[in-house]
């Protein structure tokens, strides 16, 4: 009799725990899904409106994203990738092409304006987009600063629009703070969901001759101390791209390669050092950014320059172009 009562109490206790668990799970909008490793993994409902803080452009300015971080769910990025690779180009330098330019650090006005125009373009066409979540669990974030604790694991999920849940697609371990490892590029996301690059995006073949020439600008041009200034030149020919920077106790000459190109957009990446000496910053990022042609002006964003000369502050430079002779 005592044993029977004990069993009944145990069953009631388990049912109560289950009901409470379901209640809690509903309160925090979690989804339970099975990964390829056949283990239960709790992830947030990434598309819950409470996590929406406005659309942005990716760090490489080539697709829309949403971001959120907190101590309970960790950090995540939602990326919107057009299934048609030709139409992906519509997002390249979307801010500059819409006359929204952050010369120094982006301010609240910039984020308000960029959210408005992305929302207007993106949301009516969501059926044409893959929605990919990139999640970092809270155990990999510093509890006070929410900065990454290395090494950490980043897990990717694809939103299933019919079932309204998230399907596991990939994961990787990030070992250090270099941009090349922390920032997920468009080509990586395309590969994850089977979008193949076409020949028409082969930049080396299709780059227009209009890009040939020498582009120049000065970093920290308005500084009161001339030692803070660096002169930058980008020389583009039909068979080479040369990056040159010189200033107080610095001189660098690198060969660059072209990742993507069209009539209004040129994406550059480190290839090799001309004289064999490489900056220590190259260990963190080899991304030499983008050159954009808009309204008869050339603009330059460059993560390598930001890391090297502006303490990581993202800046957009207006270039002076001299035709190559």
């Amino acid at each position: 009799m005592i044993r029977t009562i004990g069993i009944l109490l145990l069953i009631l206790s388990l049912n109560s725990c289950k009901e409470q668990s379901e209640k809690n799970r509903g309160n925090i909008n979690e989804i339970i899904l099975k990964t390829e490793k056949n283990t239960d993994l709790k992830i947030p409902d990434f598309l819950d409106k409470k996590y929406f803080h406005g659309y942005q452009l990716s760090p490489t300015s080539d697709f829309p994203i949403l971001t959120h971080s907190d101590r309970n769910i960790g950090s995540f990025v939602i990326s919107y990738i057009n299934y048609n690779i030709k139409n992906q180009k519509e997002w390249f330098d979307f801010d500059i092409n819409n006359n929204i330019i952050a010369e120094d650090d982006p301010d609240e006005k910039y984020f308000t304006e960029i959210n408005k125009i992305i929302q207007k373009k993106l949301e009516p066409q969501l059926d044409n987009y893959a929605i990919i979540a990139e999640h970092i669990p809270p155990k990999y974030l510093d509890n006070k600063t929410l900065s990454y604790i290395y090494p950490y694991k980043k897990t990717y999920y694809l939103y299933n629009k019919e079932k309204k849940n998230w399907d596991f697609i990939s994961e990787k371990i990030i070992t250090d703070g270099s941009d090349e490892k922390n920032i997920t590029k468009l080509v990586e996301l395309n590969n994850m969901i089977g979008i193949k690059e076409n020949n028409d995006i082969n930049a080396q073949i299709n780059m227009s001759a209009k890009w040939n020439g020498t582009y120049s600008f000065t970093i920290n041009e308005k500084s009161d101390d001339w030692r803070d200034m660096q002169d930058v030149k980008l020389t583009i020919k039909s068979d080479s791209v040369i990056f040159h920077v010189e200033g107080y106790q610095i001189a660098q000459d690198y060969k660059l390669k072209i990742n993507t190109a069209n009539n209004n957009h040129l994406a550059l990446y480190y290839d090799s050092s001309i004289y064999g000496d490489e900056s220590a910053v190259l260990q963190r990022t080899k991304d030499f950014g983008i050159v954009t042609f808009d309204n008869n002006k050339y603009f330059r964003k460059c993560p390598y320059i930001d890391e090297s000369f502006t303490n990581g502050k993202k800046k957009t430079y207006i270039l002076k172009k001299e035709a190559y002779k």
Side-chain angles (χ1 to χ4, degrees):
M1 181 67 178
I2 294 176
R3 182 181 177 187
T4 302
I5 294 174
I7 293 173
L8 289 172
L9 289 174
L10 177 60
I11 293 173
L12 290 173
S13 176
L14 290 173
N15 287 335
S16 175
C17 290
K18 181 179 179 181
E19 291 172 1
Q20 184 63 37
S21 175
E22 292 294 328
K23 182 179 179 181
N24 291 338
R25 180 164 52 185
N27 288 340
I28 61 175
N29 294 296
E30 286 184 338
I31 299 172
I32 305 298
L33 55 84
K34 295 285 186 179
T35 69
E36 290 183 342
K37 295 180 179 179
N38 199 32
T39 58
D40 287 339
L41 179 64
K42 295 182 180 180
I43 62 171
D45 181 1
F46 301 115
L47 295 180
D48 192 307
K49 291 182 179 179
K50 68 183 178 183
Y51 300 134
F52 181 83
H53 311 297
Y55 295 102
Q56 305 175 35
L57 287 177
S58 68
T60 46
S61 296
D62 46 9
F63 54 90
I65 63 171
L66 297 173
T67 65
H68 177 80
S69 296
D70 68 48
R71 293 175 179 81
N72 296 318
I73 66 168
S75 175
F76 67 81
V77 177
I78 304 296
S79 300
Y80 294 85
I81 308 300
N82 198 306
Y83 288 113
N84 187 326
I85 198 165
K86 293 181 179 179
N87 293 338
Q88 290 179 2
K89 298 178 185 178
E90 296 176 354
W91 293 104
F92 293 176
D93 304 315
F94 189 70
D95 51 355
I96 293 176
N97 293 334
N98 285 274
N99 297 314
I100 301 176
I101 301 172
E103 293 288 351
D104 295 310
D105 293 334
D107 55 15
E108 185 175 345
K109 180 181 177 182
Y110 169 86
F111 287 114
T112 299
E113 291 180 349
I114 196 66
N115 169 61
K116 188 182 300 183
I117 62 171
I118 290 177
Q119 194 167 29
K120 184 177 179 180
K121 177 179 175 61
L122 175 66
E123 291 190 348
Q125 303 182 47
L126 280 176
D127 288 344
N128 299 325
Y129 285 79
I131 303 175
I132 302 173
E134 172 184 322
H135 182 227
I136 302 168
K139 67 179 180 180
Y140 297 116
L141 300 180
D142 182 272
N143 192 47
K144 294 182 179 179
T145 65
L146 297 181
S147 57
Y148 302 143
I149 300 173
Y150 298 95
Y152 69 83
K153 183 169 70 173
K154 184 183 293 188
T155 309
Y156 298 85
Y157 306 93
L158 178 65
Y159 186 62
N160 188 318
K161 297 174 184 176
E162 293 183 358
K163 297 181 180 179
K164 300 187 183 304
N165 62 11
W166 297 89
D167 298 327
F168 170 89
I169 53 175
S170 184
E171 66 182 18
K172 64 179 180 179
I173 303 297
I174 310 299
T175 57
D176 59 60
S178 66
D179 283 351
E180 293 310 305
K181 296 179 181 179
N182 284 271
I183 297 175
T184 305
K185 301 294 193 300
L186 176 59
V187 66
E188 294 180 77
L189 296 171
N190 280 337
N191 288 336
M192 286 180 195
I193 56 178
I195 298 177
K196 303 298 182 183
E197 299 282 345
N198 297 330
N199 288 333
D200 68 332
I201 206 170
N202 188 325
Q204 297 288 1
I205 295 175
N206 293 292
M207 188 185 76
S208 170
K210 66 168 277 185
W211 290 108
N212 291 350
T214 299
Y215 303 79
S216 61
F217 64 95
T218 300
I219 304 169
N220 301 320
E221 187 173 18
K222 297 180 181 180
S223 175
D224 295 330
D225 189 341
W226 63 271
R227 291 172 296 184
D228 291 336
M229 302 179 189
Q230 293 84 27
D231 293 321
V232 178
K233 284 188 178 181
L234 186 68
T235 303
I236 300 176
K237 301 180 183 180
S238 59
D239 59 352
S240 66
V241 179
I242 304 298
F243 170 87
H244 170 79
V245 58
E246 62 178 85
Y248 179 65
Q249 294 184 339
I250 186 171
Q252 297 173 3
D253 291 272
Y254 300 141
K255 291 182 181 179
L256 306 183
K257 56 187 177 182
I258 299 167
N259 274 355
T260 58
N262 56 38
N263 284 334
N264 301 306
H265 173 99
L266 196 67
L268 303 171
Y269 195 78
Y270 175 79
D271 185 17
S272 61
S273 173
I274 293 177
Y275 300 111
D277 52 337
E278 295 186 345
S279 164
V281 177
L282 287 171
Q283 296 180 8
R284 299 196 295 273
T285 180
K286 294 180 174 63
D287 187 350
F288 275 72
I290 52 178
V291 179
T292 302
F293 180 72
D294 180 57
N295 197 24
N296 293 320
K297 290 184 179 180
Y298 291 91
F299 300 91
R300 178 81 187 275
K301 292 181 179 178
C302 182
Y304 175 80
I305 290 175
D306 295 340
E307 286 286 326
S308 298
F309 305 110
T310 62
N311 295 319
K313 293 181 179 179
K314 297 179 181 180
K315 295 193 175 184
T316 301
Y317 300 93
I318 299 176
L319 307 179
K320 300 175 184 177
K321 182 183 178 183
E322 178 184 351
Y324 179 72
K325 299 177 181 178

